[in-house]
Amino acid sequence: RAGDGCGHTVLTAQSGTLSSRNYPGTYPNHTACRWRLRAPPGTSLLFAFGDVDLEPSEGCAQSSLLLADPDAGTAYGPYCRDAGPATSLLHTNASTVTVLFNSSSHRSGRGLLLSYASSQHPAACPHQHFCPHRAHPVRFSVYCPAGCKDIDGDIWGNVQQGYRDTSVLCKAAVHAGVIADEAGGRVTLSREKGITLYESAFANGLHSKRGSLSEKRLLFHKARRWPGPQLPPPLAACGDALEVAAFNASSWWQEVDVLGQERGWAAERAALGTPSPSWAAEPGTETAWLELDLGTRRNVTGIITKGSAEIYDFYVTSYWVSSSRDGKNWRPYRGGSGQEDKVFEGNIDSLGEVSNAFIPPITTRYLR
């Protein structure tokens, strides 16, 4: 991409999300942005228009969105507020499309929000609560593009309870841990009877809100390896905690309190739910790690962390994860992108639990 008008942007070969700078605030004057998108060979690009709110002018000359297929010489647009796309979905026959956004002086307008997917992954409308061009079946499946985490809009609830049906759907899917924000993916969910109160949670780098009764709620389902046409169980059914055969750590704190009594913050006290003292590294340690031996190779789909509040206000704000099959050779976890070691967002206080999903899961015996 190039230009100073580019806002929130996540681009991958399979899908992505892009917006003008400041979206959903007013887009800037006298700016331009160009995105060049390439789908895998043999596929074509599909676009979902989340928002095109550019100040109107004759022929969209002042502010415009234009999609161009340079190989075929085909163009879609220009689009602006009174000359928007005819439908919310655009199916092209091109594997390469250039997206051009331009603005001159203007008074108002949110700018643009656009997502795309390759024809391998049929496009959804990821930023509305439900697609306006579809019926609302009890069970349905959509494809969420990469980059939904920072899109404007709220979510209410959590993966155990489900989510208010007014939640932004694909953003809720990231919170629930069914897709990774950097990769996107297909999600399967159902609309069930609403509940009285939705509790907030921090998971996968997103805060959900506490909210009251809704008529319906969204429950996400796992589709992997589920035989037959029946509906797989909600993700809450996949909440079994793995047994840890042994804990180890780079160091632990052997505290001596003001009364001269010893208190050990040992590695084996790191299990979730263990009362304080939990595990804490030796004070002043530059690099600390906690190691879990699961006894045998297991499929690990996520991790929950919590601070230690009873004695001190201790908690971990961020961390990396490495895995090993033999306890000697370690591989850093890089998530779906595979480009760099993934940093997980941890706790913001010593009281609440924070969930992070491994997408894809880790098959291993040892974790650090």
Side-chain angles (χ1 to χ4, degrees), residues 70-93:
D71 296 329
T74 304
Y76 305 91
Y79 302 123
C80 56
R81 187 180 301 161
D82 292 340
T87 64
S88 60
L89 288 178
L90 171 65
H91 295 246
T92 74
N93 293 318

Side-chain angles (χ1 to χ4, degrees), residues 114-136:
L114 182 68
S115 63
Y116 68 91
S118 73
S119 55
Q120 292 174 311
H121 306 289
C125 44
H127 310 302
Q128 289 87 358
H129 303 139
F130 286 99
C131 297
H133 58 279
R134 296 184 181 180
H136 298 164

Side-chain angles (χ1 to χ4, degrees), residues 22 25 53 75 192 210 303 363:
N22 302 332
D53 187 46
E192 308 287 345
R210 194 170 186 261
I303 186 169
T363 302

Side-chain angles (χ1 to χ4, degrees), residues 125 129-142 169 189 191 218:
C125 44
H129 303 139
F130 286 99
C131 297
H133 58 279
R134 296 184 181 180
H136 298 164
V138 173
R139 179 192 179 189
F140 56 101
S141 178
V142 299
L169 191 153
L189 61 158
R191 300 178 75 229
L218 308 177

Side-chain angles (χ1 to χ4, degrees), residues 261-273:
Q261 297 175 324
E262 290 192 354
R263 182 185 291 130
W265 298 74
E268 57 266 22
R269 301 194 59 82
L272 192 69

Side-chain angles (χ1 to χ4, degrees), residues 27-295:
Y27 63 96
N29 290 315
H30 303 290
T31 189
C33 189
R34 180 180 68 181
W35 296 271
R36 187 167 177 82
L37 310 178
R38 292 181 181 274
T43 67
S44 56
L45 287 164
L46 302 85
F47 291 88
F49 296 96
D51 198 0
V52 180
D53 187 46
L54 307 175
E55 190 167 273
S57 59
E58 185 175 353
C60 298
Q62 302 301 315
S63 298
S64 66
L65 168 67
L66 180 71
L67 284 68
D69 173 4
D71 296 329
T74 304
Y76 305 91
Y79 302 123
C80 56
R81 187 180 301 161
D82 292 340
T87 64
S88 60
L89 288 178
L90 171 65
H91 295 246
T92 74
N93 293 318
S95 61
T96 301
V97 170
T98 299
V99 179
L100 298 167
F101 162 66
N102 293 281
S103 73
S104 58
S105 295
H106 66 279
R107 294 182 179 180
S108 65
R110 294 181 300 273
L112 66 96
L113 174 64
L114 182 68
S115 63
Y116 68 91
S118 73
S119 55
Q120 292 174 311
H121 306 289
C125 44
H127 310 302
Q128 289 87 358
H129 303 139
F130 286 99
C131 297
H133 58 279
R134 296 184 181 180
H136 298 164
V138 173
R139 179 192 179 189
F140 56 101
S141 178
V142 299
Y143 186 85
C144 293
C148 291
K149 176 180 170 183
D150 296 323
I151 289 301
D152 188 56
D154 294 322
I155 53 177
W156 293 264
N158 54 64
V159 68
Q160 287 79 24
Q161 293 179 301
Y163 297 83
R164 281 185 63 170
D165 62 354
T166 52
S167 300
V168 177
L169 191 153
C170 289
K171 194 171 182 178
V174 174
H175 185 273
V178 294
I179 57 169
D181 186 59
E182 61 267 26
R186 179 168 291 282
V187 298
T188 301
L189 61 158
S190 59
R191 300 178 75 229
E192 308 287 345
K193 183 179 178 181
I195 59 176
T196 303
L197 183 67
Y198 295 87
E199 294 292 348
S200 64
F202 185 51
N204 299 299
L206 280 172
H207 283 280
S208 62
K209 300 179 72 174
R210 194 170 186 261
S212 57
L213 175 70
S214 67
E215 181 182 353
K216 297 290 183 181
R217 61 178 167 146
L218 308 177
L219 287 175
F220 292 95
H221 298 269
K222 276 198 171 182
R224 290 193 299 270
R225 300 185 301 276
W226 192 260
Q230 70 269 38
L231 183 66
L235 284 182
C238 188
D240 296 334
L242 296 176
E243 294 291 333
V244 178
F247 291 93
N248 193 15
S250 54
S251 66
W252 51 86
W253 185 23
Q254 191 67 27
E255 178 191 11
V256 179
D257 64 18
V258 293
L259 299 177
Q261 297 175 324
E262 290 192 354
R263 182 185 291 130
W265 298 74
E268 57 266 22
R269 301 194 59 82
L272 192 69
T274 302
S276 288
S278 182
W279 167 69
E282 182 71 25
T285 304
E286 291 292 329
T287 302
W289 48 260
L290 174 72
E291 182 181 309
L292 284 64
D293 178 0
L294 302 176

